[in-house]
Each structure stands twice: as structure tokens, then as C-alpha cells.
Amino acid sequence: MPQPVTTLVQQTLNALQVGSVYALIALGYTMVYGILTMINFAHGDIFMVSTYLGFFAAAWLLGLALNMPPLVIFLSTLLFAMVGTATLAVIIERVAYKPLRQAPRLSAVITALGVGIFLENFTLAVIGPEPRTIPPLFPLVNLNLSGVFVSTIQIVIIGVSVIVMIILDTIVRRTMTGMAMRAISFDKTIVPLMGVPVDRIISATFALGSAIAAVGGILYGMAYQLDPYMGIRIGWWAFISAVVGGIGNIRGAFVGGFILGFVEIFTPVFLPSSTYRDFVAFSLLLLLLVFRPTGILGRPIVQKV
Amino acid sequence: MTLLKAWQMPIILGMVLLLALFLPQMQLNLYVQMVLMYVGINIILTASLNLVNGYLGEFSVGHAAFMAIGAYASSILTVLILPRRWGPAEALRVVPLIGPELANGVYLVPAVLVGGAIAAVAGLVLAFPSFKTRGDYLAIVTLAFNMIVKSLLENSGDIGGLVARLIAPLSASLSADVLRLSDAVGGPRGLLGMSKLTSLFWVCLWVIVSLFAMRNFIFSNFGRGVVSIREDETAAGLVSVNTCQVKVLTFVISSFFAGVAGGLFAHVLQFINPRSFTILKSTDILVMVYLGGIGSLMGSILGAAVFTILLEVLREVIPLVGLSEVWRWVVGPLLLVTLMIFRPRGIMGLREFKGFLPKEEEVKPQAAPAPP
């Protein structure tokens, strides 16, 4: 293939890889927003905690030297991180957000900011600032497809994200819990009267959103380095993804994640350095909001008087 | 007695100002002076954000961007522009009759005002698209604005170079000026070379002026429009409050004071760089607003003072327990979350200190309705 084409294909592949991670985290933002109309600013840091959980699980499992097949190690690391992160998120929701459900809406947002800063610095204080990487859980191979390098990790990241997205879409559209979630986001006053256990559904939403973030965290941690403050930038970018796609809309979060992935990868291609990526991403966001305030897939909210 | 009561606030404020003027001369610990100055700057920041988040009921999260604009604009004025016309700031201090404090003001006051004005213009530009709808829209727009401002400042070298090359055919001297400006702004390195113009006296004066202006704004006819929008925007519109105008103007005033605080901040620290104005700084300001309580000027004072002093106290206390410095940022947020859970409205929360209320606002004990 000619050089420009391979570059384009290569960068698109990289963009899909980064975009998948953003999409997985954006799902958590958008689900919580859909059900509580609350921006859960701690979500980026919950993602960070999940990568550390995955790191310790993987290191422990590999340290046992039981010669388990790689798939078993990968899946058990994933499961451990998902369960641990979901538990953490439910605890945070019960302790920090639930008492504030009747309070002014923004008190909960400030609490979320506080929880986020706490998680960052607690991790920093306990684990330390050294960057780490999750040890490879499956053979890392770089395949050369006529000039385009595809690593196994890229295939896994993109594949797993698409599978998770399909599973989530099915849960939200086809199960009773999903139906309850959609009902609560539709109307919070009437739905409890129909016998929907609102508190349990909200906890389930937090658990589901964080478990998905944990999937993103493990995949991210194998490809990049972990540090206690990484949740800030990735969290903000995932949040923008959710807004670009239309916050509250699950498919929108996925679309937004990939758009942001493309922005991140293609900014250094066209502009002198990657320091412009924040500028490009946020200018795009501002422009989009001026012309389409509800995001790409969001529906306008009709305000009743 | 009534005379004393009527003059109570001015007397207290005058004493605070005098104290601020003489404390530094009484060998007050420099560190304590510094902390007090930060408290003052944070009070201005908190109160100005409270206008938008507390009184207007919107949610702005990028206040540090306006602070950055004010800080950079005022520093450019005192580093590049004013010395070329008036000579270095230090030279004025030896002029007889005006003490060193007032001499600093010759530079500081215009610099801070210009910083505030430019921040206000930025606020105006941002306010028009962002108040189309209500809700979390403003939060996202201001967040994006904060990131964009930081990114532009970091890349100021490239941008300045590009602009200089574009206008070079039109005017060579202007092009050279642009290059000198972008060089001074310094990208990620930051802007340095400001002299220490801000002192305790000037911070106190600005705090008093800002709070007085904001209090008069809130209790003016216009300010009632602001509060009415928080309570019910539709109803406010129905009683002919020009909601769009009120929202834009409140946002502009809020940005102005953030710029003022930025100007003061730059001349305390004598060094600013883009990393001082990240979203984390905005988060700090938000925390102070909600800690002190929304819709209350006294709350802003308490929130800023408690937060700033608490972090400094933790800096002292935490090494005593044998933990590292990082735990300061573990304990601080934990205290905040605990406070929010047990007192969701913050310390003051929609209540106001009596001394700040105008005379007409005071609830009279025997307010018997007058017979018609």
C-alpha cells in the first residue's frame, strides 16, 4: 500500500483503540446522568482505581506461577477489577451521594468532585507515584499487514469494547432492570409509585457503569502506564465524549468516545504538537454545543411549565 | 446609639484596612501575611463565583480561566507596557509624600482594573452562546473554556509566531511587538518579572471594594432579577425580568472580579504559568463556594477563609502525625464530603450576615401592616 494510505489506516486503528477506552468510560457518565441528572465527577478516578485493582490482581495471579492459561488469568483479572470497582462505586453512591438526593442538585456534584480528589490522593499516598503497567496477560504480537502494524492488544481493546457495548445495549433494552433504568430517567416522581425500587436501580446503574469503566481500565492499563492522576484527563475526555454524543444517551456515548479518539490521534498529525489536543477537543465541543446543544444523538428536553 | 449602629460596618472596615496597613510594619510573619493575602484573593474569587452559582443558580465550573485572563493581562501591563512609559515600579517608591504602599498602587490599580476588564470582555463573549439554554450546559461550556484558555497559554509561543508572521507584511513594528509579547507570556514556562505590588493593604482594599460592589448589585433592583431567575426562570420572565440580559450581566460582573483576583494573585506570587489555572484551581473555587454556602457573601468569606487556612493548618499538622504531605489532599476532600453530607447547604447556605444587609432588608420585629 502507498505510504499515506498506510499512515491513515494505522492512525485510524490507533484512534479506534483510544476511542474505545473513552467510550467505555463515557458510558458510566452518561448512565448516571441519565438516571440522576448528576455529573459524577468521581467517575474518572473510579476508572483509575480499577486499573490499579487490575494491576494487583494480575501481578498476584502471575506471581502464583500456576501455569494457568492466559485466557483464565485475563478473565479472572477482569472479573476481579469489575467486581471491586462496582463495589467501590456502590459504596461511594450509598455513603456520599444518597444522603444528598433531596439536597440542592449541585451539592452532590461538589461531593463527587471531593470524592474524586480523595481517590486520587489516597491512591497516591498509599501506592505511590511510580508509573506502572499491567503485565501482559496474553502474548503481545505486532502483526505487520502490508505496512500497517496491528498489535493483539489493539484487536482485544476494540473487540472487547464492541462486545461490552452490545451487552449493555441489550441489558438496557431487554431486561427488567434496564426497563426500570429507562423509566426512572423518564420520570422520577411517578415511577416509584409503580413499585420500582429506585434506590436499588440507582445502585445497579452505578455498579454497571463502573464495571464497564473497569473493563476499559484493564485494557487501558495493558497498553499505557498507570499513575494516580491519570483519571483526571481521561475522565474529562470521556465526559466530553458523553456530552458530544448526547449526555444520557448510551449509543451517543459510544459515538462520542470514538470521535474524541479521532481528535486525540489526528491532532498531532495535522498540528505541530499534541499539546493542541485539548484545544481542538474543547473547541469542537463548544462549536457542537452552539449548533446542537443536546449532542449528536441527544433529544432536546422539553421544559414543562 | 443609632448613629453608631448605622456606621458600624464602615468603622469595622476602616479598622480592618488600618490594621492591614500597619500589620506588615509590626514585623508580622511573612508566611502569615502571605496566607492572609491568599485568603483575601480567594474571598474575591469565591464571592464572584457565588454570583453565578449561588445567586443566579447556574453552574459555572471554569472560573480559573477568567482568573488566568486577569492575571496575564495585568502582568503584561506591569511588566511590558507600564514600565516603558512610567519607569520601573520600584522608582516610584522613593517619591516623597506617597509611601511605598501607595506607590505600588499607582501600578497595581490600573493593572488590576485592566485585568478585570479584559476578563469581563471574555465573560461577555462566552456568555452569549452559553445562556441559550439552562441546566448543565453552562457547566460544559465553561469547562471547555477553561481548558481552551490553558491550552492557548501553553502554546502562546507558536500562536504568537504565527500571528507575527501573518501581520509582518502589514507592519513590521507591530509584528515585533507581537513576538515580544508571546515571548514574555512564555508558553508553559509562564510569565515572570512582576514586582511584588500586592500587599495586605491592597488585598484588603480590593476585598472590601469587591464585596461592597457585589452586595449592592445583589440588593439592587437588578439583583432581585438575579435571585428571581434562580427561584423560577419562567415566572421571572413573566413578571418582565429580562432574563437573558440579567444572566449575561451577572456572568460579566462575575468574570470581572475573577480577573481582579487574578491580577492580585499574579502580583503576590510574582510568577504565573498556565498550570496555576487548570480545572483543579476552578475546582478549589467551587469547593470554597459550596463550603461557605451558596447565595451568601458572608458564606463566601467563611468558605474561602476556612478552606485556605484549613489546608495550611493541615500542612503543619500532617507531618506531626508522621504522614507525608500528600495526606493533606486526602484529609481535605474527606472533610469536605463529610461537611456536604451533614450540611448540604454549606456553612451559611442562603442566609446572610446581618451587617451586610441594607437597611431596607432588615426584618423589623413589629412589622404591623399599615392601615390603608
Side-chain angles (χ1 to χ4, degrees):
Chain A
M1 279 192 276
Q3 176 67 32
V5 176
T6 50
T7 313
L8 190 69
V9 174
Q10 182 76 63
Q11 298 293 9
T12 307
L13 208 61
N14 295 345
L16 286 176
Q17 176 190 353
V18 178
S20 318
V21 176
Y22 288 145
L24 289 178
I25 307 165
L27 288 172
Y29 278 108
T30 222
M31 286 167 72
V32 169
Y33 189 87
I35 204 162
L36 282 179
T37 53
M38 168 199 155
I39 306 171
N40 180 15
F41 279 125
H43 191 62
D45 299 301
I46 290 175
F47 156 80
M48 179 274 299
V49 172
S50 82
T51 62
Y52 274 95
L53 288 178
F55 170 79
F56 287 116
W60 183 71
L61 283 174
L62 290 173
L64 287 179
L66 292 177
N67 287 329
M68 282 185 278
L71 189 68
V72 174
I73 298 190
F74 177 64
L75 288 181
S76 38
T77 305
L78 203 59
L79 195 67
F80 176 77
M82 285 169 77
V83 172
T85 314
T87 315
L88 174 72
V90 171
I91 291 172
I92 291 174
E93 193 267 322
R94 282 285 150 113
V95 173
Y97 303 158
K98 198 178 160 209
L100 293 169
R101 222 165 275 160
Q102 306 306 326
R105 204 162 64 88
L106 296 177
S107 301
V109 177
I110 296 300
T111 312
L113 281 171
V115 170
I117 302 172
F118 167 77
L119 288 179
E120 284 153 24
N121 292 293
F122 187 74
T123 313
L124 181 67
V126 174
I127 298 174
E130 310 81 23
R132 295 157 198 264
T133 318
I134 297 184
L137 300 175
F138 43 79
L140 293 179
V141 187
N142 266 324
L143 309 170
N144 187 344
L145 303 176
S146 59
V148 180
F149 288 94
V150 186
S151 67
T152 40
I153 207 155
Q154 275 178 324
I155 299 170
V156 171
I157 289 183
I158 298 168
V160 168
S161 318
V162 172
I163 294 169
V164 166
M165 172 66 198
I166 293 168
I167 294 175
L168 181 70
D169 209 57
T170 317
I171 291 178
V172 171
R173 275 166 206 277
R174 310 236 180 244
T175 64
M176 283 301 269
T177 315
M179 199 207 271
M181 284 175 184
R182 284 181 289 140
I184 293 173
S185 75
F186 185 74
D187 190 325
K188 251 186 280 308
T189 39
I190 305 297
V191 167
L193 303 179
M194 311 282 185
V196 176
V198 176
D199 284 338
R200 214 189 304 157
I201 296 298
I202 289 175
S203 293
T205 310
F206 271 87
L208 198 58
S210 322
I212 294 169
V215 176
I218 303 294
L219 299 173
Y220 181 90
M222 284 191 287
Y224 306 93
Q225 285 188 325
L226 324 178
D227 73 275
Y229 287 120
M230 72 186 199
I232 303 176
R233 197 191 75 80
I234 297 169
W236 284 120
W237 276 63
F239 173 65
I240 308 169
S241 309
V243 177
V244 166
I247 194 152
N249 183 312
I250 286 175
R251 291 178 180 179
F254 219 62
V255 173
F258 283 115
I259 292 177
L260 267 279
F262 275 90
V263 168
E264 168 154 352
I265 296 296
F266 281 92
T267 301
V269 176
F270 292 111
L271 286 172
S273 83
S274 66
T275 49
Y276 288 96
R277 63 185 181 192
D278 274 358
F279 174 68
V280 175
F282 287 96
S283 307
L284 194 80
L285 175 72
L286 276 191
L287 274 181
L288 181 88
L289 287 182
V290 169
F291 294 110
R292 213 179 142 73
T294 47
I296 293 173
L297 293 183
R299 252 178 257 117
I301 303 157
V302 182
Q303 200 167 24
K304 278 173 275 182
V305 179
Chain B
M1 199 57 208
T2 44
L3 193 70
L4 190 69
K5 214 171 179 183
W7 285 92
Q8 188 184 12
M9 282 312 285
I11 291 171
I12 294 174
L13 295 181
M15 274 157 60
V16 168
L17 264 184
L18 277 180
L19 204 64
L21 198 54
F22 288 116
L23 268 181
Q25 270 138 43
M26 297 193 303
Q27 312 296 322
L28 179 68
N29 187 338
L30 277 178
Y31 168 68
V32 176
Q33 280 189 41
M34 194 85 162
V35 173
L36 286 178
M37 280 194 265
Y38 283 138
V39 169
I41 291 167
N42 284 340
I43 288 174
I44 301 179
L45 284 171
T46 310
S48 61
L49 185 62
N50 213 335
L51 283 185
V52 174
N53 284 24
Y55 290 100
L56 187 60
E58 291 282 350
F59 190 43
S60 161
V61 294
H63 216 48
F66 299 107
M67 190 190 173
I69 293 172
Y72 271 87
S74 61
S75 308
I76 288 168
L77 203 66
T78 57
V79 173
L80 286 180
I81 298 172
L82 286 183
R84 236 196 287 171
R85 296 183 190 277
W86 299 351
E90 285 77 10
L92 282 174
R93 292 192 191 147
V94 293
V95 175
L97 289 180
I98 53 174
E101 291 286 0
L102 294 177
N104 283 340
V106 173
Y107 272 63
L108 186 70
V109 172
V112 164
L113 283 176
V114 166
I118 293 180
V121 171
L124 185 67
V125 172
L126 195 64
F128 271 113
S130 25
F131 285 120
K132 275 183 173 173
T133 52
R134 214 180 137 74
D136 300 322
Y137 192 68
L138 184 70
I140 299 158
V141 170
T142 46
L143 165 73
F145 183 66
N146 196 340
M147 301 278 192
I148 289 174
V149 166
K150 185 190 166 243
S151 187
L152 283 179
L153 287 173
E154 271 178 347
N155 294 305
S156 66
D158 289 356
I159 295 163
L162 185 72
V163 173
R165 228 179 311 144
L166 284 179
I167 61 171
L170 301 173
S171 153
S173 68
L174 195 62
S175 169
D177 279 344
V178 169
L179 270 185
R180 202 174 313 131
L181 181 68
S182 79
D183 189 48
V185 170
R189 178 202 71 203
L191 203 164
L192 27 93
M194 291 80 91
S195 45
K196 195 172 171 83
L197 298 176
T198 310
S199 58
L200 206 51
F201 169 74
W202 285 109
V203 171
C204 274
L205 190 66
W206 274 110
V207 168
I208 291 168
V209 168
S210 313
L211 286 179
F212 187 68
M214 283 188 246
R215 171 243 195 207
N216 284 359
F217 173 71
I218 286 305
F219 291 109
S220 70
N221 207 9
F222 208 88
R224 310 211 184 259
V226 174
V227 177
S228 73
I229 289 177
R230 175 184 71 203
E231 298 302 333
D232 190 331
E233 188 171 347
T234 319
L238 287 175
V239 293
S240 72
V241 173
N242 186 345
T243 52
C244 187
Q245 187 198 8
V246 169
K247 287 200 266 188
V248 169
L249 192 71
T250 310
F251 196 70
V252 167
I253 292 175
S254 164
S255 324
F256 173 82
F257 285 111
V260 165
L264 292 171
F265 174 78
H267 292 89
V268 174
L269 206 62
Q270 299 173 269
F271 164 66
I272 47 177
N273 71 2
R275 265 172 317 201
S276 321
F277 307 106
T278 53
I279 194 75
L280 291 179
K281 181 75 194 174
S282 298
T283 314
D284 280 356
I285 307 171
L286 273 176
V287 166
M288 289 187 274
V289 169
Y290 288 86
L291 178 69
I294 56 165
S296 164
L297 287 175
M298 195 53 177
S300 301
I301 298 176
L302 288 176
V306 168
F307 183 77
T308 317
I309 294 173
L310 181 73
L311 282 181
E312 293 302 323
V313 169
L314 284 179
R315 193 202 290 279
E316 299 291 322
V317 168
I318 280 186
L320 293 183
V321 196
L323 293 169
S324 74
E325 176 93 348
V326 184
W327 286 90
R328 185 159 79 108
W329 287 100
V330 178
V331 179
L334 216 53
L335 288 175
L336 172 79
V337 172
T338 321
L339 184 101
M340 290 313 283
I341 291 171
F342 291 106
R343 252 193 108 85
R345 286 174 184 276
I347 300 171
M348 292 292 283
L350 294 176
R351 289 174 302 148
E352 189 59 281
F353 173 57
K354 257 201 203 140
F356 285 175
L357 296 175
K359 212 163 41 188
E360 305 79 44
E361 290 280 320
E362 276 172 30
V363 185
K364 295 191 179 63
Q366 300 134 341

